[in-house]
Amino acid sequence: MTLPDFLVIGVPKAGTTALHAALVHHPELYLSAVKEPKYFLSDGPPPARGGPGDAQTYQEHVWRRADYEALFAPAPPGTRTGEATPFYLYDLDAQARIARTIPDAKLIVVLRNPVDRAHSNWYHLWAAGLESERDFVTACEAEPARKAAGWAHFWHYLGQGRYGEQLRHLFTLFDREQVLLMRYRDLRDTPVEALDRVCAFLGVRTGVLTAVPSSNVTPYVPDTPVNAVLRTALRTGGRFGQHFPVPLRLAARGPLLTVLHRQKGHRPRLMPAERATITPYFTEDIELLEKVTGESYQDWLDLENPPPAHRRR
């Protein structure tokens, strides 16, 4: 049996891809070539349908036990194995599956201001041509209906940011010593120190990793009439769905994205009014998070001094 020794379990759009990219360079660690296997997100096959793009994502799930174990079989003897699927923290059933399957696993959680995380999540899907709502707040308001319709976790902009509830549940399944809790700003502002913390937690040499690479950077996509047509085609399949088979539709996605991402520019900033509208949704959960962790997150409630913008989105 070859199962991972550690998991990066959260959260999306908080530097987990960059952390994965850094850890693969440590000689005493082996991370799966598939960055997000998503194995623990389902018992058996994943759903077949969901929101825009979800069906394709579900096809990427490594859901068979043998296939999952095969991801870690090439690990050199003596290395610690791991993978990074940042939806595991949000999915409470996934937490329980992890506890049943690898109860001694070490878990890494990277938290980001939930409003900034949600905005980055929304823009990621917008830039991918999948999000139809050009207004961030409107997209957040659509979340209950989308969840009821079975849209995948990545569409749950607000729900994914309720870290207090998620960690409270996690700590009923795992000892706190098994969980390393970090902040996105740790990776952003003091990457070497952050990597040393991760390495010390995993029981491997510190001082080996010297940088967190910029990874998973969302491109700039202006809201223009031409891009609106491209985004509609990406989201719905456009006329491809009426005249061509599915494989051709999927093959056309890459070229369409290339055209959509053709322009350079600055991505939209989260506006103060948007922050003021969304922050109250998280106030109670942030209080719970502080009780659960014993740490202060009051800076996330400071509307006058929001965190600085950064390219690792």
Side-chain angles (χ1 to χ4, degrees):
M1 181 173 67
T2 307
L3 289 169
D5 300 303
F6 70 92
L7 303 170
V8 180
I9 65 170
V11 298
K13 308 307 296 180
T16 56
T17 299
L19 177 59
H20 178 278
L23 295 179
V24 296
H25 295 292
H26 197 294
E28 298 171 36
L29 298 177
Y30 180 88
L31 284 87
S32 63
V34 178
K35 187 260 174 180
E36 293 185 13
K38 303 182 179 71
Y39 173 72
F40 293 104
L41 293 182
S42 64
D43 278 321
R49 304 182 65 180
D54 286 350
Q56 181 179 356
T57 299
Y58 289 142
Q59 293 174 10
E60 300 168 355
H61 283 217
V62 181
W63 59 271
R64 294 179 178 87
R65 175 70 173 258
D67 293 337
Y68 186 64
E69 292 188 11
L71 295 177
F72 309 101
T79 55
R80 299 184 185 276
T81 58
E83 59 115 324
T85 299
F87 300 103
Y88 290 159
L89 180 67
Y90 173 58
D91 190 318
L92 304 190
D93 290 332
Q95 292 185 18
R97 294 184 190 106
I98 295 168
R100 290 194 301 267
T101 308
I102 42 176
D104 296 326
K106 292 191 174 185
L107 310 175
I108 300 170
V109 178
V110 186
L111 300 182
R112 182 180 185 181
N113 180 306
V115 181
D116 294 285
R117 195 222 66 78
H119 185 266
S120 181
N121 194 160
W122 161 78
Y123 189 70
H124 179 109
L125 287 171
W126 169 270
L130 300 175
E131 174 58 77
S132 61
E133 291 293 348
R134 64 192 58 193
D135 178 73
F136 168 57
V137 173
T138 302
C140 289
E141 292 171 344
E143 183 167 321
R146 291 174 170 183
K147 291 175 70 174
W151 290 26
H153 293 344
F154 203 40
W155 293 96
H156 305 177
Y157 305 146
L158 300 179
Q160 288 185 90
R162 298 187 69 83
Y163 313 135
E165 296 172 356
Q166 297 159 22
L167 285 169
R168 178 176 61 184
H169 184 267
L170 186 72
F171 290 143
T172 67
L173 301 172
F174 293 90
D175 292 337
R176 298 193 178 213
E177 292 74 17
Q178 291 179 251
V179 181
L180 176 64
L181 192 61
M182 304 179 67
R183 287 211 195 191
Y184 171 74
R185 71 184 186 191
D186 299 334
L187 295 174
R188 181 192 66 202
D189 299 338
T190 56
V192 175
E193 292 84 350
L195 291 172
D196 277 347
R197 280 187 64 199
V198 174
C199 290
F201 173 69
L202 296 178
V204 297
R205 281 181 295 148
T206 60
V208 175
L209 303 176
T210 59
V212 176
S214 294
S215 299
N216 201 24
V217 178
T218 305
Y220 168 69
V221 178
D223 189 8
T224 65
V226 171
N227 285 347
V229 173
L230 291 170
R231 293 177 61 259
T232 299
L234 285 162
R235 188 170 62 253
T236 66
R239 295 296 180 263
F240 299 108
Q242 297 180 19
H243 302 295
F244 297 104
V246 170
L248 184 57
R249 297 208 309 269
L250 296 179
R253 182 169 179 79
L256 286 173
L257 280 172
T258 298
V259 178
L260 185 66
H261 298 162
R262 69 195 180 280
Q263 295 171 269
K264 304 295 183 182
H266 297 289
R267 292 171 302 226
R269 299 281 299 273
L270 177 64
M271 294 292 101
E274 294 174 320
R275 186 181 297 280
T277 299
I278 299 300
T279 295
Y281 177 83
F282 295 108
T283 301
E284 183 177 345
D285 186 76
I286 290 173
E287 294 175 355
L288 174 60
L289 177 64
E290 292 182 325
K291 292 178 182 178
V292 169
T293 65
E295 299 181 16
S296 174
Y297 293 89
Q298 287 301 301
D299 53 298
W300 289 352
L301 300 174
D302 187 353
L303 300 180
E304 300 298 324
N305 298 287
H310 194 264
R311 66 182 303 229
R312 189 179 294 119
R313 307 287 292 188

